[in-house]
Amino acid sequence: GESDIIVTSFFIHEYKEYHRFEFTASIYDDQLCLIAPAASFMPKSYMPILPFAPDVWAILALYNLVVSVLWFFIKYYSVSFRRREAVLLPLTKADGSRPIMTDSTSRRSQDDGGGGTTAQRAFLFGTLFFGLIVTGLYQSCLVSSLSNPFHHPELTTLEDVANSNLTIITKYDNLRENTFTDNTSLACRLKDKVRLVPFDKRTNDMVAFDKNVTALSRFASVKLDNLSNYFDEDGNELLHIVEECPTTYLLSYIVQLYSPYRERINGLLLRMQEAGLIGLWYSNMTYPMYADEQRRKMAKSDRRIKLTLEHYSLTFLGLSLGLLFCAIVFLAELYFAKQ
C-alpha cells in the first residue's frame, strides 16, 4: 500500500497469494518462451554423407538396385524380341529331294548385343539424367555447408524439450507454479523438469555455457537483452529460442485496490496504445539489437570454412576399406585358381 502504481509490466494472471492490487488496462501481449542452448555442430568428417538424410540414402541405394535389375530385364527381352527363329516352308523339289529350309526373316541380327536397342538407350538416358540431377543437388549442399555448417537439429517444439535431458529453470516461483498447468501428459512431463535457481545467477549464462538447461523467459525481454556475448569465435549463436511457446499472456501495470486513479490511468494507457506509441517505443528500443544481429549475419555469410584433412577422413577411411576388401577378394581368387 505504499505505491499508487507500479510501472513494471506483469502478466495478467490471478495470483493466489496476492489480492490487494488490481491490473490496469493491458498494454500488449507477450509470449512465455523457452531459451535453449544452440545445437552443436556435426563432426567435420561426416560432411560427405550429411547432404542427404539417411532415408534418402536408402532410397538411392534401392534405386540403384532396381535400375540394375531393370537394365538386365530390358536387355534380355530386347534381344529376345529381336531374335527370329528359322521355319520350314512346305516347298519340295520335283525330284523328291529334301525340303528346302528358309528363314522367315530377311536378315538375322548379326549380334544380339549390337549397339543396344531404343529401349535400352532411352532407359540409359533417363538414369543418367536423374543421376546428373542428384549429383548437382549433392554438390550444391556441400558448397552451402562451407558457409552454413551442418549441425544437430534444434529444439523447436515442447515435445522436443520434454524428450531432451535438459532441465527447465526459472527464478520466479509463480512461473513454476502457473506454467504447464494443463492436464496432459506433455504438460506434466514439462512441469517435472522445472527448477528454481538463485537470483544471483544469470539464466542466459547458465543456458549458453552449461548447455544442460533451458530457461523460461518473456520473449520481449529476450529481444531487449544484449546478446552480443553469446556468440562463439566463428559468430555462431549459443542461444536458441524454442519456436513453440508454452503460453501467451497480456501484460499490464498494477495499481492499488480501489485506486481513485485507475480510470484515468486506463484511459491514458488506452490512448497511447491506440496511437501506436507503445509499439513505437518498443521498436526503438529493440532496433539497436536487431541492427547488430543483421551485421553479424552479414559478416558470417562472408566467411568460408577452410577444408582440412579432417573433412575427408571418413571418405578416405571408406576408400581404404574398399581397397582392402578388393585386395582380399583378389588374393582369394588367386588362391582358389591354383587349387
Side-chain angles (χ1 to χ4, degrees):
E2 298 179 358
S3 302
D4 293 320
I5 182 173
I6 298 179
V7 190
T8 300
S9 55
F10 288 85
F11 289 138
I12 297 180
H13 181 77
E14 182 180 356
Y15 299 97
K16 298 180 180 180
E17 298 85 357
Y18 307 99
H19 300 281
R20 301 297 300 173
F21 67 88
E22 56 183 329
F23 295 102
T24 64
S26 62
I27 308 171
Y28 58 92
D29 58 347
D30 195 6
Q31 293 177 322
L32 184 65
C33 64
L34 287 167
I35 306 175
S40 59
F41 291 98
M42 293 285 190
K44 296 179 181 179
S45 59
Y46 293 174
M47 187 183 70
I49 62 175
L50 291 177
F52 295 150
D55 53 349
V56 177
W57 283 115
I59 292 175
L60 290 177
L62 181 62
Y63 166 79
N64 290 329
L65 180 61
V66 172
V67 165
S68 301
V69 175
L70 288 178
W71 175 260
F72 171 78
F73 280 110
I74 290 175
K75 183 178 180 180
Y76 175 78
Y77 284 108
S78 296
V79 173
S80 299
F81 291 152
R82 292 175 61 185
R83 185 180 296 119
R84 297 292 185 269
E85 299 294 341
V87 297
L88 293 177
L89 298 179
L91 298 177
T92 57
K93 292 184 179 180
D95 56 0
S97 60
R98 295 181 179 179
I100 301 174
M101 180 178 292
T102 62
D103 195 345
S104 62
T105 60
S106 59
R107 185 177 182 181
R108 184 184 295 271
S109 176
Q110 296 179 356
D111 186 10
D112 290 343
T117 63
T118 303
Q120 288 176 293
R121 297 190 187 97
F123 184 74
L124 181 61
F125 174 79
T127 54
L128 292 178
F129 188 74
F130 178 77
L132 181 63
I133 296 175
V134 173
T135 303
L137 291 175
Y138 180 79
Q139 291 179 346
S140 64
C141 290
L142 286 180
V143 172
S144 64
S145 67
L146 297 179
S147 58
N148 187 20
F150 297 106
H151 54 78
H152 294 280
E154 298 280 7
L155 300 178
T156 57
T157 64
L158 297 179
E159 185 72 28
D160 295 338
V161 177
N163 294 332
S164 67
N165 57 353
L166 302 178
T167 303
I168 303 174
I169 61 173
T170 181
K171 295 181 179 179
Y172 308 100
D173 185 64
N174 64 325
L175 285 183
R176 184 184 65 173
E177 296 297 330
N178 299 298
T179 308
F180 309 122
T181 56
D182 297 336
N183 189 19
T184 61
S185 59
L186 177 60
C188 294
R189 291 165 57 193
L190 291 170
K191 194 172 185 63
D192 293 339
K193 287 175 169 284
V194 181
R195 300 290 184 272
L196 287 177
V197 294
F199 276 87
D200 57 345
K201 294 184 178 180
R202 293 180 58 87
T203 54
N204 287 344
D205 291 347
M206 297 177 63
V207 174
F209 304 119
D210 294 346
K211 295 186 179 299
N212 58 357
V213 296
T214 59
L216 283 170
S217 180
R218 285 171 45 188
F219 184 80
S221 299
V222 175
K223 293 300 181 181
L224 289 172
D225 287 340
N226 183 12
L227 303 179
S228 59
N229 295 327
Y230 303 105
F231 291 86
D232 59 12
E233 59 276 5
D234 296 326
N236 301 308
E237 296 179 352
L238 298 178
L239 297 177
H240 167 71
I241 299 178
V242 180
E243 295 180 5
E244 184 180 1
C245 297
T247 185
T248 300
Y249 284 108
L250 293 174
L251 284 88
S252 68
Y253 303 138
I254 59 175
V255 296
Q256 288 184 358
L257 189 63
Y258 310 122
S259 172
Y261 308 109
R262 182 184 59 182
E263 292 186 3
R264 297 184 62 182
I265 292 173
N266 289 340
L268 178 61
L269 292 176
L270 290 175
R271 285 198 298 270
M272 289 192 301
Q273 186 179 20
E274 292 176 357
L277 294 178
I278 296 178
L280 176 63
W281 294 336
Y282 180 78
S283 299
N284 291 338
M285 288 187 294
T286 58
Y287 181 77
M289 280 69 75
Y290 173 78
D292 292 340
E293 181 182 0
Q294 297 304 313
R295 281 192 288 267
R296 281 192 296 267
K297 288 183 178 180
M298 293 180 62
K300 181 181 176 181
S301 63
D302 295 335
R303 286 195 296 269
R304 293 293 183 270
I305 298 177
K306 295 182 179 179
L307 293 178
T308 60
L309 188 61
E310 185 179 358
H311 290 88
Y312 300 101
S313 58
L314 186 62
T315 304
F316 288 144
L317 178 61
L319 292 176
S320 301
L321 292 177
L323 181 60
L324 178 61
F325 179 75
C326 293
I328 293 175
V329 172
F330 176 71
L331 294 176
E333 290 180 352
L334 291 180
Y335 174 77
F336 287 108
K338 294 180 180 180
Q339 297 298 322

